[in-house]
Amino acid sequence: LRLLPRQRYLQAERAEVSALERKRNILCCLITRILKVEKQLHIDNLVFRVIDACQKGELGPGLQFLSFCCHSVDVLSCVLHLLNQGYLRRQEERPHVLEY
């Protein structure tokens, strides 16, 4: 016996969290792919390349995904996440240049 109506907002929040996680994973993959090819890149150029790839819907050679809105804050957040995880590093003499 249920006396209270089902709380649908909890399901909506779960869906939003899942969508944000997928977006973060895609951005992290894009950052990693770009830096694997370039080896090192200025952080501004990296942000522009990731945003451009998101708008075009390109994940990499032969892979496509639906284009989605991506902001520089999203990309920079993922860069910080990858720096903290040890996947990326900054050059000591030039901290604005990232290396894979």
Side-chain angles (χ1 to χ4, degrees):
L1 181 67
R2 293 189 81 122
L3 298 176
L4 297 174
R6 286 191 159 167
Q7 296 182 0
R8 296 181 192 273
Y9 67 89
L10 291 176
Q11 293 172 344
E13 285 179 5
R14 287 186 196 119
E16 288 175 16
V17 168
S18 177
L20 287 174
E21 286 177 357
R22 276 181 290 180
K23 182 177 180 178
R24 186 181 82 174
N25 289 340
I26 290 170
L27 290 176
C28 287
C29 287
L30 280 170
I31 292 167
T32 304
R33 279 184 179 259
I34 290 169
L35 281 175
K36 275 185 177 180
V37 171
E38 297 295 328
K39 304 297 182 212
Q40 63 181 13
L41 199 59
H42 191 282
I43 194 164
D44 292 341
N45 291 337
L46 178 63
V47 170
F48 290 129
R49 284 180 139 187
V50 171
I51 290 173
D52 187 49
C54 289
Q55 290 172 347
K56 291 179 180 177
E58 299 172 348
L59 183 54
L63 299 174
Q64 296 274 329
F65 65 92
L66 297 175
S67 63
F68 61 89
C69 184
C70 171
H71 301 285
S72 60
V73 175
D74 300 327
V75 178
L76 291 172
S77 173
C78 289
V79 166
L80 287 175
H81 174 73
L82 291 170
L83 281 168
N84 288 334
Q85 295 293 318
Y87 292 108
L88 306 179
R89 68 173 178 238
R90 295 177 177 200
Q91 291 183 351
E92 287 188 29
E93 62 279 356
R94 299 184 310 170
H96 50 277
V97 175
L98 298 173
E99 296 177 335
Y100 178 74

